[in-house]
Amino acid sequence: MSYEEFSEIYLRERKPPHIKSNLANVVFNDESCVAPSSWDWGEKAAVTLVKDKKNCGSCWAFSATGAIEGITKIATHYLPSPSEQQLASCDKYDSGYKEGWFCDAFGYVFENHGIASESDYPYIAKDSPCNSTLAKKISATIEGYGCWVTPISEESLKCAVYSQPISVNIYASKSLKQYAGGIFTGDDCSSIGSCEINHAVLIVGYGTWNGQDYWAVKNSWGSSWGQYGYIFIKRNTGSIEGVCNMNCHGGAPTKGLLLKLDSSA
């Protein structure tokens, strides 16, 4: 299909997000961590297999559940598969399959005292009323969450990703839609507005290949897209917004003291 048709079905134009909860009134601001030159939470079995959100604008829910499963695995050694359908149907902060913001999804999970598993509350890829009974079948919990709404440095983002998988927004351009391998440079994003976004993904690692630094990013378009559902995005570009604005908005749930958060900035 054309990029315009694809955008209408799979992407949603979004206004810059804002934080609704005081729990999220923190920023990521850590450029002094000691981290290895490469890291991959996929290799640590801290993320589930790539999922397919199908023809719905629910990327924010998949990004959120990916971050929740990551921090749960790191903190407890148990890897859940949280329910995206529960977020789409029950999270009143967001708009189901129209648009959403993973930070608000974290807020819903915190207030609900957890989230059900995908097996208990299956994904049906369409709007449906919240099933409060299923929503109480808790499979994973979080203790808080942190988000940022202005660009952070790539070194700060690297420190965050070394701590756990991180949810970010991005502008999914025409070339990103057609990505099939290699390191994505996002050259066709140069004409879009500063911090303009239309998609949410999950950063699970970083590294260097043939001298080029990259982010390892898990998408929600199924395993037949990209590199088995993943995309490797150029890192350390010198741009404050990052490739296709991926440094602009992001966040993660917390469980224990694993994520370093700085509320003084």
Side-chain angles (χ1 to χ4, degrees):
M1 62 180 70
S2 70
Y3 179 71
E4 290 71 26
E5 293 169 325
F6 179 84
S7 298
E8 183 65 26
I9 296 173
Y10 291 96
L11 306 175
R12 294 292 185 274
E13 294 296 332
R14 291 175 174 82
K15 297 178 181 178
H18 61 282
I19 295 173
K20 297 184 175 71
S21 170
N22 288 333
L23 280 169
N25 190 23
V26 290
V27 294
F28 292 67
N29 188 25
D30 185 357
E31 294 190 350
S32 60
C33 68
V34 178
S37 58
S38 63
W39 192 258
D40 190 335
W41 286 113
E43 293 180 354
K44 307 296 182 183
V47 292
T48 58
L49 297 176
V50 171
K51 300 179 181 180
D52 188 352
K53 71 183 185 66
K54 301 181 181 178
N55 58 338
C56 299
S58 54
C59 55
W60 59 273
F62 284 81
S63 178
T65 58
I68 292 170
E69 67 194 27
I71 192 61
T72 302
K73 171 68 181 218
I74 295 166
T76 69
H77 305 292
Y78 159 66
L79 179 63
S81 182
S83 171
E84 293 82 17
Q85 188 65 47
Q86 180 178 349
L87 294 180
S89 297
C90 303
D91 173 10
K92 302 307 179 185
Y93 291 127
D94 292 300
S95 302
Y97 290 107
K98 295 179 181 178
E99 63 180 3
W101 164 222
F102 43 73
C103 194
D104 289 332
F106 300 147
Y108 162 77
V109 172
F110 180 85
E111 293 173 4
N112 190 60
H113 305 292
I115 185 170
S117 67
E118 188 174 28
S119 59
D120 281 336
Y121 204 142
Y123 187 64
I124 60 174
K126 64 180 180 181
D127 285 318
S128 65
C130 178
N131 187 319
S132 57
T133 300
L134 295 181
K136 294 176 182 177
K137 292 188 174 185
I138 303 302
S139 71
T141 62
I142 62 174
E143 296 176 9
Y145 56 101
C147 298
W148 71 86
V149 294
T150 55
I152 66 171
S153 72
E154 303 233 309
E155 188 63 24
S156 293
L157 185 52
K158 175 184 175 181
C159 291
V161 173
Y162 178 49
S163 295
Q164 65 191 97
I166 298 292
S167 295
V168 294
N169 285 320
I170 192 169
Y171 189 88
S173 64
K174 183 181 294 186
S175 63
L176 189 146
K177 167 187 175 290
Q178 298 170 339
Y179 171 81
I183 296 180
F184 177 74
T185 59
D187 295 337
D188 59 341
C189 284
S190 60
S191 62
I192 65 173
S194 176
C195 288
E196 185 177 347
I197 52 155
N198 60 8
H199 189 46
V201 293
L202 184 75
I203 306 180
V204 302
Y206 58 86
T208 302
W209 183 70
N210 282 349
Q212 177 60 66
D213 296 336
Y214 67 83
W215 300 109
V217 178
K218 182 184 180 184
N219 203 356
S220 55
W221 293 346
S223 60
S224 61
W225 175 86
Q227 292 272 51
Y228 302 101
Y230 282 79
I231 180 172
F232 299 94
I233 299 178
K234 187 176 180 179
R235 179 168 62 93
N236 291 331
T237 64
S239 166
I240 188 172
E241 293 91 357
V243 171
C244 293
N245 295 334
M246 67 180 299
N247 296 5
C248 288
H249 316 126
T254 60
K255 200 171 179 68
L257 299 175
L258 290 169
L259 181 62
K260 296 178 181 179
L261 297 173
D262 177 4
S263 58
S264 63

